[in-house]
Amino acid sequence: MRILVIGNGAREHALAYSLSSDPRVSDVHVSPGNAGMTGCATIHPDADPVELAKQLQPELVVIGPEIPLVAGLADMLRAEGFSVFGPSKEAAQIEGSKAFAKDIMLRAGVKTARAQSLEPGARDEDIDAALAHFGPTFVVKDDGLAGGKGVVVTEDREAAVAHIKSVHQAGNPVLLESFLEGPEISLFCLVDGTTVVPLLPAQDHKRVGNNDEGPNTGGMGAYTPLPWLPADGVETIVNDVVKPVAEQMAEDGVPFSGLLYAGLAWGAEGPAVVEFNCRFGDPETQAVLDLLETPLAGVLSAVAEGTLDQLPPLEWKDGYALTVVLAAEGYPESPKTGAEITGAEPGSEERGIRAAGVAEKDGKLVSAGGRVLNVIARGETLEEARHAAYRVLDTVDLPGGHYRTDIALPAVEGRIEI
């Protein structure tokens, strides 16, 4: 079985590696990919995805990032007869437009934050009047794709106003939301119309610094499963959140096929939606896939072919998995690129290395983005997984690089509860 993966980050590296480990898979191709993936896939850095698919004739195309999904790449590939894992352009609006997602949730009866939209051109008095209905913690979101960095959560009203104006200057609407209390949960669900199959729940660490300090990023680390989640927590989220949304989208004539990612906060009244994404999340995917025992190719093919309801129950490895992101100097504001990376050469997947923002220069790997690479480790306990990941990080060198040292620490210390 030949598979083409679209994307270039650590999420796509994790997908490619998991797919390449499936005995039924003959070869994996990634476009545009990155130089750190060459140990498990053939890279096509400058290819048009549709033309590349025509050339390779893969049995399955897996689209990783949200931007091509929202742009309609899945539709273009399906129109050429390819089997595709990823939603249509219309269905991808569940992530591409927060207003679209809010409307779906409202009609599906799904709990989410109260919201108000502010269009570009809003006057200062309009902004002040809108903010008066929110706080003391303000949640300001870019109503579009922002790579996980379009959200400001602050008690500083001036900072909230500044973010509103910066988003408006870019020509995008803003969504003001009420702040949702409670620990955050990421639940990935395979969705094929109204059939929903959950993966393991995970928790992401969005802030750049320890103790959740500093600006939001695309994610600095994640772990799975969640020892503090109630035993019926996943079932509750599926029944109260994901299934109603999937059924509403199908009823609207916009059925979802692919990976529906529910980002939630679990407060006193149960789970409420912070956001939906139309694809595997990064960096949670890296940890979740590391525990998946069932061969990934058959799982994704079942969704793409519309046979998810016939898929046997997923099997998982015991224990916990954790991923830590190594970021470039200056990330997220102004990451510096071109620094040489040692200890994370191509072919380091067995050590838990997944390459994100890397390139090759003079035969060596160098940083080429903000989040440079991930380290994944497993353990019988979450604490063991933590120690194992940081031991590997000690063997990797990136001048000026930084990472959080407290990934999953609140859970290990029992400081998270519902």
Side-chain angles (χ1 to χ4, degrees):
M1 184 180 188
R2 174 173 293 167
I3 298 178
L4 171 60
V5 177
I6 304 299
N8 68 344
R11 167 185 50 210
E12 287 74 37
H13 192 174
L15 287 165
Y17 178 60
S18 293
L19 291 165
S20 70
S21 304
D22 188 328
R24 295 184 305 167
V25 175
S26 58
D27 49 320
V28 177
H29 299 257
V30 185
S31 180
N34 69 56
M37 300 179 183
T38 55
C40 66
T42 301
I43 308 304
H44 303 267
D46 300 311
D48 174 270
V50 176
E51 293 304 314
L52 180 61
K54 290 179 181 179
Q55 174 191 331
L56 295 174
Q57 290 297 308
E59 282 83 5
L60 176 66
V61 182
V62 179
I63 304 174
E66 63 275 19
I67 292 175
L69 288 168
V70 171
L73 180 58
D75 302 294
M76 290 183 269
L77 287 163
R78 289 191 180 104
E80 296 293 339
F82 294 105
S83 181
V84 181
F85 181 86
S88 67
K89 179 178 182 177
E90 280 190 288
Q93 289 304 300
I94 196 74
E95 177 172 2
S97 168
K98 293 174 179 64
F100 175 92
K102 288 290 184 185
D103 177 63
I104 292 287
M105 286 185 277
L106 176 64
R107 291 185 291 114
V110 170
K111 282 189 244 180
T112 186
R114 177 173 54 84
Q116 180 178 342
S117 181
L118 278 172
E119 296 294 325
R123 300 170 300 172
D124 288 350
E125 51 265 40
D126 297 329
I127 293 173
D128 288 340
L131 286 173
H133 297 289
F134 295 88
T137 301
F138 301 100
V139 180
V140 185
K141 295 184 176 182
D142 185 333
D143 188 16
L145 299 178
K149 298 181 282 292
V151 181
V152 164
V153 181
T154 180
E155 294 181 0
D156 184 339
R157 188 185 180 98
E158 290 184 4
V161 171
H163 189 59
I164 291 170
K165 292 186 174 182
S166 70
V167 173
H168 281 171
Q169 285 173 359
N172 294 332
V174 162
L175 207 65
L176 300 179
E177 288 189 350
S178 56
F179 179 70
L180 295 174
E181 300 283 353
E184 291 199 5
I185 301 160
S186 299
L187 184 65
F188 301 163
C189 291
L190 303 165
V191 176
D192 169 18
T194 58
T195 302
V196 176
V197 175
L199 306 186
L200 293 180
Q203 187 176 61
D204 184 13
H205 294 62
K206 281 289 187 189
R207 300 280 187 171
V208 71
N210 285 352
N211 303 313
D212 291 326
E213 296 178 355
N216 269 347
T217 71
M220 294 298 292
Y223 65 97
T224 186
L226 308 179
W228 44 267
L229 191 66
D232 63 348
V234 169
E235 181 181 7
T236 297
I237 294 168
V238 169
N239 291 334
D240 293 356
V241 175
V242 184
K243 277 189 176 179
V245 165
E247 290 168 357
Q248 186 64 56
M249 292 182 74
E251 183 181 322
D252 290 351
V254 189
F256 193 95
S257 171
L259 195 290
L260 188 56
Y261 163 173
L264 312 114
W266 196 305
E269 298 180 358
V273 175
V274 175
E275 64 177 354
F276 273 109
N277 292 330
C278 65
R279 39 69 192 184
F280 278 104
D282 185 355
E284 300 99 319
T285 296
Q286 291 83 300
V288 171
L289 290 186
D290 209 47
L291 288 180
L292 181 63
E293 191 76 67
T294 303
L296 183 62
V299 173
L300 302 188
S301 292
V303 178
E305 295 165 5
T307 59
L308 182 59
D309 60 344
Q310 301 170 33
L311 186 73
L314 298 178
E315 296 180 3
W316 299 92
K317 300 179 180 75
D318 293 331
Y320 294 83
L322 176 141
T323 182
V324 182
V325 173
L326 175 62
E329 181 180 357
Y331 178 77
E333 291 90 350
S334 54
K336 295 184 178 180
T337 59
E340 183 180 337
I341 307 160
T342 56
E345 293 71 24
S348 299
E349 289 87 1
E350 287 294 328
R351 293 178 51 233
I353 305 294
R354 306 291 183 268
V358 305
E360 185 178 350
K361 182 180 180 182
D362 300 328
K364 298 176 181 178
L365 287 187
V366 298
S367 60
R371 293 184 294 171
V372 178
L373 56 84
N374 293 181
V375 170
I376 306 163
R378 292 196 301 269
E380 290 185 13
T381 66
L382 188 52
E383 187 171 17
E384 288 178 7
R386 262 180 54 80
H387 290 321
Y390 286 112
R391 281 198 300 271
V392 175
L393 265 170
D394 286 341
T395 69
V396 178
D397 183 61
L398 172 66
H402 61 95
Y403 55 86
R404 285 183 59 160
T405 61
D406 65 344
I407 301 301
L409 187 59
V412 168
E413 295 180 344
R415 290 188 276 122
I416 304 177
E417 61 182 20
I418 289 177

